[in-house]
Each structure stands twice: as C-alpha cells, then as structure tokens.
Amino acid sequence: MTVPALGLGTSGNDDPEQCAETVRTALDIGYRHVDTAQMYDNEAAVGRGIAESSVPREEVFVATKVHPSNLAHDDVLATATESLDRFGLDVVDLLYVHWPLDAYDPESTLSAFDELVDRGITRHVGVSNFTPDLLREANRLLDAPIVANQVEAHPLLPPRRDLVAACEQVGAEFVAYAPFCRGEALDIPEVEAVAADRAVSPARVILAWLREKGCRPIPKATGGAHLRDNYAALDLSLEDKETERIDAIERRYRRFDPDGAPWS
C-alpha cells in the first residue's frame, strides 16, 4: 500500500463550512489524500466534504490520528469508533498514533491498533512524531505493518537521514507535515531564489524539494488558488543544483516541540 504522493492537511481548519468546502475543492482539483486528527476537531467537516464531493469514497485516502490523551488501550478502541462516526464512514484508510506522549504505552496502545485493523475500523496503521528507536520498537510490537511515520519536515528542518533510513527499514512512508513551517519557510532567500528562477511559487518549490527527498507532504491550504498551486508541485522536478541550494540552508528550527517530545 502506498500513501498518495501529496495530501491535504487540515490542522487549524476548524470552521466547519470552510473545512468541508476546502475538502470538496481539493478533491475536485485531484487530491486523493486527506489528513486530519481527533485533535483538530474537524473530522465531521472532513467527512462532510468527502460525502458532498463527486469523487467516489473508494478513491479517497482518509487519515486521522488518535489524540495523545486517548492512547490507553480501551480509549483507543472507543475514540477511534467515535472518529468513524464523526466522519460518517465505514472505515478509515490510515489511523495514526498522533504523538508518543501522555497515555502512550507501546504494548497496550499498539495492541489496540492491531485490534482496530482486525475489526475493520482502519485499513492501516501509522505513527507520528516517532524517532527511529520508537519506530523500530513499534514495528516489533505491531502485527500490522506501519505504513507511515508523519513528522514535521521543511527546509528549516530537513528529513533526518537516520529517520528516513528507519522508515525504509520498516517499510513506512515518510509523511511530512508543516511543510511550510506555518509560512516561515516560504520567505527563505534560497527558496525564493529557486522559485524566481523557475517562475513558480516558493510553496511549489518546497513541496517538490520534499518529494525529491522521498517524502509525502501534506500542506495546509484553503481557497482554490492555493490548493491548485500546491497540487501543481506534482509536476515540478528540481535539478540537483536547486535541491543542493535548499539543502545548504544552515538555519534550523522545529515549529512543533511540546513538552516531553521524544527528541527532547
């Protein structure tokens, strides 16, 4: 199973009307991967956008994540079912452990995810914000394969080689969230220079750069123009010198760094 190459992130899109319209518009444009989470409080709106779209459900890859406070075994089972009810769907395509924090216990949490696969609540299991060691541990404990590790990645926080290698080792896709670093990465001079040379947006350059790194980015956007511009990154291939120019950015910044994060 392959996670689609580009997805729609919905973090922060908590206005129900706007969120549903964004999902509908994205699917009309060609997106087939929609990512949300219990934490985002918009699963119902995402489900509504999918239902009101002309795209058949079987063509849409729907991913959500279990809140860190819901990661005790029985809470995983209960809240995943509640997520499904909010979506109005029979099954989700991918269910993630959102963060290995709070109630996360590797053995009991992951056994619940295996049970959800067996019950047909989710087709696949993923993890998010896992280090290489945590990823390998989860892979040992799960019966279901880990199909994705979703991690913050952008030109200020490039995909770490050891994490990319660990993903490859367990057969998981590297899904990159916050690819624009909440807009901060769009103003980096090196990114702007490549964009100007190509006569495309910095957003398109960043998404193409992440794809060159083997990542599957899930940028957030609302409005048809931004959604179309992001989607057009699928048709952009960077030259080696352009990739190297972005690789050479020296500044490093992690936008999402909660207390107790595994890399702390």
Side-chain angles (χ1 to χ4, degrees), residues 5-243:
L6 181 72
L8 172 68
T10 63
S11 171
N13 195 347
D14 53 6
D15 178 275
E17 293 300 323
Q18 182 186 64
C19 183
E21 177 61 27
T22 297
V23 171
R24 283 195 300 270
T25 302
L27 294 175
D28 287 344
I29 288 168
Y31 290 79
R32 293 296 181 266
H33 177 189
V34 181
D35 179 272
T36 185
Q38 293 174 354
M39 187 182 291
Y40 305 163
D41 197 26
N42 62 8
E43 289 173 322
V46 169
R48 188 174 132 209
I50 294 168
E52 295 177 357
S53 166
S54 61
V55 178
R57 163 66 183 100
E58 59 269 20
E59 295 182 15
V60 184
F61 187 90
V62 183
T64 193
K65 312 176 199 72
V66 178
H67 195 289
S69 64
N70 295 333
L71 289 172
H73 180 277
D74 290 350
D75 291 340
V76 171
L77 301 179
T79 63
T81 302
E82 291 166 2
S83 288
L84 208 59
D85 291 341
R86 284 190 290 270
F87 280 122
L89 299 176
D90 296 327
V91 63
V92 293
D93 298 283
L94 177 57
L95 187 69
Y96 289 96
V97 175
H98 200 155
W99 287 87
L101 301 174
D102 297 354
Y104 179 70
D105 176 82
E107 291 191 9
S108 63
T109 297
L110 297 173
S111 67
F113 275 72
D114 273 330
E115 189 170 336
L116 289 170
V117 173
D118 292 341
R119 290 186 186 183
I121 301 296
T122 183
R123 292 191 173 99
H124 303 288
V125 171
V127 296
S128 185
N129 302 297
F130 273 45
T131 61
D133 286 345
L134 286 172
L135 181 61
R136 285 188 284 264
E137 177 187 51
N139 186 61
R140 288 195 302 271
L141 293 171
L142 280 162
D143 292 330
I146 300 173
V147 303
N149 185 18
Q150 188 177 135
V151 183
E152 178 182 353
H154 44 72
L156 298 176
L157 191 69
R160 283 173 33 179
R161 291 182 181 177
D162 61 338
L163 187 52
V164 172
C167 287
E168 291 175 349
Q169 180 183 356
V170 306
E173 301 287 0
F174 190 121
V175 176
Y177 74 81
F180 307 142
C181 191
R182 289 283 177 91
E184 195 163 346
L186 300 173
D187 299 326
I188 299 171
E190 292 88 343
V191 172
E192 292 182 318
V194 173
D197 289 345
R198 285 297 195 98
V200 298
S201 69
R204 208 181 299 185
V205 167
I206 290 172
L207 296 176
W209 173 78
L210 283 167
R211 290 183 59 245
E212 296 283 348
K213 299 290 181 185
C215 299
R216 272 132 165 78
I218 47 170
K220 296 190 301 182
T222 56
H226 285 158
L227 289 165
R228 288 183 179 86
D229 186 62
N230 289 346
Y231 192 72
L234 292 172
D235 296 324
L236 178 64
S237 295
L238 299 182
E239 298 178 1
D240 288 347
K241 64 180 181 180
E242 295 171 322
T243 300

